[in-house]
Amino acid sequence: TFVVGENCIKCKHTDCVEVCPVDCFYEGPNFLVINPDECIDCALCEPECPVSAIFSEDELPEDQAVFLELNAELSQVWPNITEIKDAPADAADWDGVPGKLQHLER
Ligand code: SF4
Ligand code: F3S
């Protein structure tokens, strides 16, 4: 599966959802997740993210291992998203900021 990692938090550009052939992205208040049971590993979404927040499970950085479980868990409770929308106005300010997990809203 592919995994949405920490740098999506508060950036949430949503370019990723447009290319997913199986529509397996789910949207929270300031973060998106992939449903690992629905993802077909096509890899189309990874290069679409302007802040490089998407990883193959095999390439997920060790310090983001928790995001594997977060994607699985939150994709069960958040609504599906299939159309691109505007990113938050301050998205650029948050690109690459460390420790964003503490800002994850559920
Ligand atoms: Fe969707 Fe493909 Fe990305 Fe999986 S790898 S979330 S199927 S675009
Ligand atoms: Fe997040 Fe990147 Fe998609 S910021 S919403 S993973 S395009």
Side-chain angles (χ1 to χ4, degrees):
T1 186
F2 277 65
V3 180
V4 184
E6 184 163 25
N7 207 28
C8 178
I9 296 171
K10 294 179 81 67
C11 285
K12 199 185 177 191
H13 286 281
T14 71
D15 301 56
C16 52
V17 309
E18 287 268 299
V19 299
C20 182
V22 295
D23 292 343
C24 65
F25 281 89
Y26 294 79
E27 182 186 22
N30 64 6
F31 182 53
L32 253 58
V33 291
I34 292 168
N35 182 325
D37 297 326
E38 295 173 343
C39 174
I40 59 171
D41 282 331
C42 73
L44 288 175
C45 57
E46 184 180 0
E48 292 301 314
C49 177
V51 297
S52 303
I54 302 178
F55 300 92
S56 158
E57 176 179 6
D58 300 335
E59 294 171 356
L60 185 67
E62 269 180 40
D63 62 358
Q64 295 192 48
V66 66
F67 282 86
L68 196 56
E69 187 54 39
L70 278 173
N71 277 245
E73 176 194 338
L74 296 171
S75 63
Q76 298 298 315
V77 294
W78 284 349
N80 193 228
I81 174 172
T82 59
E83 290 181 5
I84 194 167
K85 59 165 72 171
D86 289 342
D90 60 350
D93 297 340
W94 287 96
D95 179 14
V97 173
K100 285 204 280 183
L101 181 54
Q102 63 182 316
H103 300 292
L104 175 63
E105 296 174 33
R106 295 174 177 243

